[in-house]
Amino acid sequence: MKWLRFASLASTMLLCASVGAAAAGKPASLVAVDNLVFVSGAVGSGGDALAQVDEVIRKTGDALAARGLDFGDMLQHTIYIKDGVSPMAVLQRFHATATQVAPSLKEFKSVGTIVRLPEFPDKASLVMLDIVAGAPKAKGQRDEFRRIPFTYGPQEIAETLEVKPFVFTAGTEAMDFQHGTLAPTIEEQVDAIVGKLQSGLQKAGLSVGDMIAHNLYVKKGTDPGKVIQLFHAATHKLAPQLEDQPSVGTLVIVDGMASDGFLLEMDAIAVPRSTAVKRVLYEHPTDIARSVAVGDLILLSGMEAMDGARPIPADAAAQAAIAARKIHDTLRQSGLDIGHMVKYRIYVKKGADVSKVRRSFLDTAARLAPSLKRKPAAETLAIVEGLADERLQVEV
């Protein structure tokens, strides 16, 4: 499986370069493309988990302030917590602090999910927050972005959120909130998740067939290959057009989500069928695309060290370099290069040297596109239990 990346077209590069400038080797605090703002992940550094929730909200708010925005402009959030920290306690604190800092979030909710990780690069870290924010055409007019609440489900977040032409979904799992039940098997959970995804998108006037990007978070101990097979079988059953018009996507193995019973959680981005979309497909057709271009954004599948018939190197830093080259080569098929990257996530398998992986990725990217030293992208880095293939240690 691959991953989700945002890269701007050349027409927006000046805007991207003018926001969140950073020294060479350091990520930008945020980068804006049109009315979307991509923020680097904010990581907690001290105190207990609840104190770190407050810390990452403050750090994210400070980054947004540089763009004339505030925390109430958050559209989509992913909360990463260290396994062993209570997800429900973190969620309660997150929404309490968020609505205290930005009361507008009580009305203008974001979509979001929460994922449990084995650790963070800094052993003191317990919480990380990764968001996408929105800049309304008129400052403070957050009703420009349409939100649809859950009928049954968490009331603190929206089920879908539209930033034309994009529709972001909240994290979708198999819980039947109406009846308080959860199917035990992965087969049943995948069917339930895809059904809920279809229902949520239909409320927004779309369907599963309009999906252009997806992330699959698989609980440790669940077979990722089986999840991939089941997910695409279920989505293609509802939307056969996905076979010829696939979305980009990724899969990472994590310690869990909000509940121990969740074996899989996913979120997605969709656009109306009338939207002009350009895809770059793999040479050998797969269930995902290499990239999907919509207006001034290109979304990429995650790139790793699977490179045709070539062997996968055991060294994680070497895998990161291959990932950078694959991003570069994919973007060149759309007339761009890795220098146009505005936001990336690095997933590193537990046990690999995170600093060497990151340095290898950034050094390779900078050699391919020296402009990244002057115009860095926003970054989020997460340590995970694994990736779709047990040989993989890095996916970007």
Side-chain angles (χ1 to χ4, degrees), residues 5-8 13 16 31 327 331 336-345 361-362 365 372 375-378 396:
R5 165 79 0 68
F6 297 91
S8 73
M13 274 311 296
C16 294
V31 181
I327 292 169
L331 289 173
L336 309 180
D337 60 37
I338 199 169
H340 294 88
M341 182 170 62
V342 299
K343 173 67 187 279
Y344 59 93
R345 285 179 178 169
F361 174 75
L362 290 175
L372 277 175
K375 305 170 184 176
V396 188

Side-chain angles (χ1 to χ4, degrees), residues 254-299:
V254 297
D255 291 271
M257 282 66 71
S259 169
D260 283 336
F262 296 166
L263 304 178
L264 171 68
E265 186 160 335
M266 62 88 60
D267 52 34
I269 302 174
V271 296
R273 206 157 300 173
S274 58
T275 306
V277 173
K278 296 180 180 179
R279 290 173 172 83
V280 173
L281 303 179
Y282 283 90
E283 291 77 7
H284 302 287
T286 67
D287 291 320
I288 56 173
R290 291 182 69 164
S291 68
V292 174
V294 180
D296 285 338
L297 285 176
I298 296 182
L299 292 76

